Amino acid sequence: MAKTAFLGLGVMGFHMAGHLAAKGHQVTVWNRSEAKRGDWAAQHKGEVAKSPADAAFGAEFVFLCLGDDPDVRDVFDQLEPSLGAGMIVVDHTTASAGLARELDERCRVKGARFLDAPISGGEAGAINGKLTIMCGGEEKAFKSAEPVMAAYGKSMTLIGESGAGQLAKSVNQICIAGIVQGLSEGLHFAEQAGLDAEKVIAAISGGAAQSWQMDNRWKTMVEGQFEHGFAVDWMRKDLRIALEAARENGASLPLTATVDQYYADVQAMGGQRWDTSSLIARLTRD
Ligand SMILES: NC(=O)c1ccc[n+]([C@@H]2O[C@H](COP(=O)([O-])OP(=O)(O)OC[C@H]3O[C@@H](n4cnc5c(N)ncnc54)[C@H](OP(=O)(O)O)[C@@H]3O)[C@@H](O)[C@H]2O)c1
């Protein structure tokens, strides 16, 4: 069993830290807002720290699950004095590959190692402990962290060197953007054509048009229900990261750039916290 620290008890981190504790790992948590620290301690077995440095001090593994690049850099700055030789810092935030490389360097200076390890699977995946984890970093550090991450991960893959996990997560988000827009247009077309959407989905969902989004989202999309799932604000952050990386590596992402602007429309409609499947809402608005 490992001595771990978990920093960031949001929608995802709260459950991930809980799985670590449930598997018998020693867990010290920290969250910026105090209320979540108390909520976590009331439901799980573990310690609560007053600062990132206190949480990380003496830990073998320090897990982060925060929002965006500036948040990760801010918390890393605070925990840095506690970094020690042999420690492994694992960042589950969806952030940029550039930040991962910077933090990898800063860890090495202290004899520690850094893994960028963004996740997918949504809140349900965090609750069920079945997340997909895409990692970048050194193989030895990955092999050490893998059995610990298994507390909440069902599939963990070392993609390549530092930053590769974040770049793989961008691939995931690029694919999702196009699929959700396609599904939105298909369902919108079905409605305009006077078709029964349920019959259409039953007919086509076993074929080449099938997708996770189709299986899990078609019904709520048709019903106009978006108060669940993965927020548009987070998706825009992820697409910004993907588009910035594409500017650096020369990839051409015309559809991703277009869908990003469609999400800006959804935000302007008040859908900042709506699920990403709300792309259909801008096709059906009056
Ligand atoms: N939700 C999903 O379905 C999902 C799926 C895949 C990947 N992700 C990614 O996973 C990450 C976490 O997502 P989430 O849904 O758990 O987000 P969330 O519920 O908004 O939680 C964000 C966490 O980060 C903390 N935080 C943000 N800025 C901070 C700062 N400057 N200093 C210290 N703490 C800070 C927040 O603390 P406070 O409580 O104090 O605000 C909170 O604990 C994001 O990068 C997201 O893109 C999310």
Side-chain angles (χ1 to χ4, degrees), residues 6-14 16 29-33 36 52 62-79 89-95 99 103 114 117-119 166 169 230 234 237-238 241:
F6 204 107
L7 315 183
L9 304 173
V11 167
M12 305 297 280
F14 191 95
M16 294 161 75
V29 297
W30 174 83
N31 191 71
R32 176 180 58 184
S33 52
K36 285 182 199 161
V62 179
F63 297 99
L64 312 179
C65 192
L66 306 163
D68 198 349
D69 278 27
D71 310 321
V72 176
R73 191 176 275 112
D74 187 21
V75 172
F76 188 90
D77 287 348
Q78 294 177 61
L79 74 82
V89 178
V90 181
D91 184 19
H92 289 303
T93 313
T94 304
L99 178 69
L103 299 187
F114 182 86
I119 48 183
Q166 295 295 358
K169 174 73 183 185
F230 185 60
W234 276 149
K237 182 256 302 181
D238 294 357
I241 289 169

Side-chain angles (χ1 to χ4, degrees), residues 1 4 15-29 40 43-47 151-152:
M1 290 297 122
T4 70
H15 303 291
M16 294 161 75
H19 284 296
L20 286 175
K23 286 281 186 288
H25 295 294
Q26 202 178 323
V27 187
T28 301
V29 297
W40 191 91
Q43 293 178 40
H44 302 287
K45 195 164 165 277
E47 303 289 317
Y152 45 77

Side-chain angles (χ1 to χ4, degrees), residues 48 80 96 141 146 152 165 172 193 216 219 233 251 262 267 278 286:
V48 175
E80 201 165 21
S96 70
E146 197 178 17
Y152 45 77
N172 189 67
N216 293 281
K219 199 163 195 302
D233 279 353
Y262 293 166
Q267 287 175 315
S278 57
D286 295 328

